[in-house]
Amino acid sequence: MTPAAGDDAGPAVHGGNGPEGGPAEPLADPDAVKADAPEADAADPDTDQDADQDADVPHRHLAHTWQEARQLAFDCAAPIPAAPVPLRQALGRTLAADVLALQDMPHYASSAMDGWAVNGSGPWILAEPGQRLAPHQASPIATGGLIPAGAKAVLRSESGVIDADEDGLPVLKLGGTAKPGDPRNGDHIRKAGEEAAAGDLLIKCGAVLNPAHLALAALAGHDALPVLGKAVVRLVFTGAEVVASGTPAPGQVRDTFGPQLAAVVGMLGGICTEEVKVGDSYPEWLAALEDGDPLATGSESLPADVVITTGGTGRSGTDHLRRSVAELGGRLLIDGIAMRPGHPAVLAELPDGRYVLGLPGNPLAAMMALSTIGAPLLAALGRGSIPPLSEVPCGSTIDADPGRTRLMPFRLLYGMASPAQHTGPGMMRGLAAADGVLVVPPHGVQLGELVPAFALPWGAPVPDASAAPVAKPAAKRTARKTGASDGPVDWSALLG
């Protein structure tokens, strides 16, 4: 998980710099105070590893603006066709066709009680279970049991007793809780087709399938249901220095993607079926990308529509994504974005139709890249719409950063979006407490100015201040004059 080039330390922000992004002390004149931008960390990749190689072509790989990259990721993909999936895999999927009853439900008359199936009035001569009942005959039956031919009703077990007739043979008689006339014809029998007849509509196309839907489909005789397509995603985690548990030693880093990336992809509309960890060598990278046929390796996973990699998107000797894509005959659709953090993100398409989404190795940078191009891509493949943007008033003045869009996690405080602290490219503390992400344009933002923002996959929608209704001013009230004899003073005018 080599840190990617271009994952920066963050912009200069004025205001909103209280603890954990809380409100700062109010400024008499926000424009009169200008803090210098923080110095770039010596180890911070946003000093741009490409600068030495491409000094005469600055930001050569920042070909797409944030808006262009986002739209391109959505436009490049066609929806995955609908297909049947087993019931156990259909939860939460969108139904692509109506579900009909394949036969009557229930498809046979059954007992609603434990007891005896009977024909006529008692006492009843006991017959073998399952045989046709003649008048005045009965046979034992359990709840859900098939009603035998000739049976007219079911006598509950607590309403009957086994006794002997004059010849000493066993007979069934009314007893216990039985009432005169029990049982009446049809008592405690579930009729065939009582819930639905064959061909009845059970679930409409377009329904988001819940557990009750799946149980109903099973009752109707279905083993699979047709659902709208979703992208099958394969995750490739890279980096020989990454450890999966415990406290990392110097030179090691803890795996931040394994515990959460599959879940985030699921929130964005994808289905993660496989996770692979590889080192930093080119052969490992190439093998991870060319393994597009799970049957060839004995895997039970579905073939991937999208491969998401972490790390390896920079330009160092251990960054092999671009070379691997070229070796496999693929093409780069997005090779860097004019944004930070996360500008070295890559989107490629392989000849077999798979997409490769290369995320930077730093966790916050990766999440911002995933939100920028991963979310639109998965939405397009799943027949969704591009994730919406809202506008929120900014709680700080943010300096310009010409040529780059900045994505800044924020907290909503007093109705304003205050940039969070602890939002370096390798940090997650600020994002963990954030209410959304600001999309700060290259020219910066003034205090109180509306700025685009998007919600986090796991968070609530961001309130859209631009769509908020304008409050009508309250009607003015005239205080009536009061005298000493008027009684209590009416303060309602002042409270209005």
Side-chain angles (χ1 to χ4, degrees):
M1 191 187 302
T2 306
D7 294 339
D8 49 82
V13 177
H14 310 286
N17 290 325
E20 295 301 321
E25 291 295 323
L27 300 177
D29 182 0
D31 294 326
V33 180
K34 293 291 180 180
D36 293 332
E39 294 182 4
D41 187 344
D44 189 290
D46 204 43
T47 53
D48 203 339
Q49 295 177 5
D50 291 337
D52 294 337
Q53 303 173 18
D54 307 309
D56 56 336
V57 188
H59 307 310
R60 182 184 62 178
H61 61 286
L62 302 181
H64 296 283
T65 66
W66 184 82
Q67 292 84 353
E68 289 171 346
R70 187 170 181 265
Q71 192 65 48
L72 192 156
F74 183 77
D75 293 340
C76 73
I80 296 172
V85 299
L87 293 181
R88 288 181 178 271
Q89 299 177 16
L91 182 65
R93 303 292 296 271
T94 301
L95 193 62
D98 291 341
V99 175
L100 308 179
L102 299 181
Q103 58 184 359
D104 290 347
M105 298 172 57
H107 59 285
Y108 64 90
S110 63
S111 175
M113 296 288 176
D114 291 338
W116 297 268
V118 300
N119 184 347
S121 57
W124 298 273
I125 299 171
L126 294 177
E128 291 295 325
Q131 76 176 40
R132 184 180 184 87
L133 298 182
H136 311 296
Q137 280 190 325
S139 62
I141 195 168
T143 301
L146 175 66
I147 298 294
K152 306 298 184 182
V154 170
L155 178 68
R156 299 170 61 174
S157 57
E158 56 266 38
S159 298
V161 293
I162 302 296
D163 201 354
D165 64 7
E166 296 175 352
D167 299 323
L169 298 175
V171 293
L172 172 66
K173 297 181 178 180
L174 292 179
T177 62
K179 298 177 182 179
D182 281 350
R184 295 174 177 81
N185 282 349
D187 276 359
H188 310 307
I189 290 179
R190 296 171 179 160
K191 297 178 181 179
E194 196 172 62
E195 186 172 7
D200 279 357
L201 173 63
L202 301 179
I203 314 172
K204 287 186 177 182
C205 175
V208 177
L209 295 169
N210 62 36
H213 288 141
L214 304 185
L216 178 60
L219 282 173
H222 295 273
D223 298 320
L225 292 177
V227 295
L228 297 183
K230 274 191 174 185
V232 174
V233 178
R234 184 170 187 248
L235 301 179
V236 178
F237 303 131
T238 71
E241 76 283 11
V242 179
V243 295
S245 61
T247 303
Q252 296 179 330
V253 294
R254 182 64 190 267
D255 174 23
T256 58
F257 295 115
Q260 52 88 15
L261 189 54
V264 176
V265 168
M267 294 173 184
L268 294 176
I271 303 173
C272 285
T273 59
E274 188 179 9
E275 297 181 13
V276 179
K277 187 180 186 306
V278 300
D280 292 322
S281 70
Y282 174 66
E284 289 175 288
W285 265 92
L286 188 61
L289 293 187
E290 68 184 353
D291 183 16
D293 183 7
L295 299 179
T297 60
S299 170
E300 296 181 357
S301 300
L302 296 171
D305 302 296
V306 179
V307 179
I308 297 180
T309 65
T310 61
T313 60
R315 307 278 178 168
S316 73
T318 58
D319 297 327
H320 305 298
L321 176 59
R322 294 171 182 80
R323 180 183 173 190
S324 299
V325 168
E327 178 75 15
L328 296 174
R331 63 191 183 104
L332 297 179
L333 303 176
I334 297 174
D335 185 8
I337 308 168
M339 61 177 269
R340 65 177 186 175
H343 82 250
V346 172
L347 179 62
E349 186 178 14
L350 298 179
D352 59 9
R354 287 179 298 149
Y355 293 94
V356 178
L357 173 57
L359 303 179
N362 281 315
L364 181 60
M367 293 301 292
M368 297 300 96
L370 181 63
S371 297
T372 298
I373 55 178
L377 176 68
L378 295 175
L381 291 170
R383 205 178 296 270
S385 55
I386 193 166
L389 294 177
S390 301
E391 286 193 323
V392 293
C394 190
S396 304
T397 293
I398 304 175
D399 287 345
D401 186 4
R404 291 181 188 269
T405 296
R406 284 159 293 171
L407 302 185
M408 303 176 64
F410 69 86
R411 299 285 304 276
L412 275 175
L413 299 169
Y414 307 110
M416 302 186 77
S418 294
Q421 292 185 334
H422 307 294
T423 55
M427 300 178 182
M428 290 300 289
R429 186 176 174 184
L431 187 65
D435 296 311
V437 179
L438 293 175
V439 182
V440 180
H443 58 263
V445 177
Q446 297 299 312
L447 177 66
E449 182 181 351
L450 292 181
V451 60
F454 59 83
L456 296 167
W458 55 87
V462 176
D464 192 352
S466 65
V470 178
K472 294 182 179 180
K476 294 183 179 180
R477 299 178 182 176
T478 304
R480 71 179 181 88
K481 296 182 180 180
T482 60
S485 61
D486 288 337
V489 176
D490 181 4
W491 296 105
S492 61
L494 299 179
L495 296 176

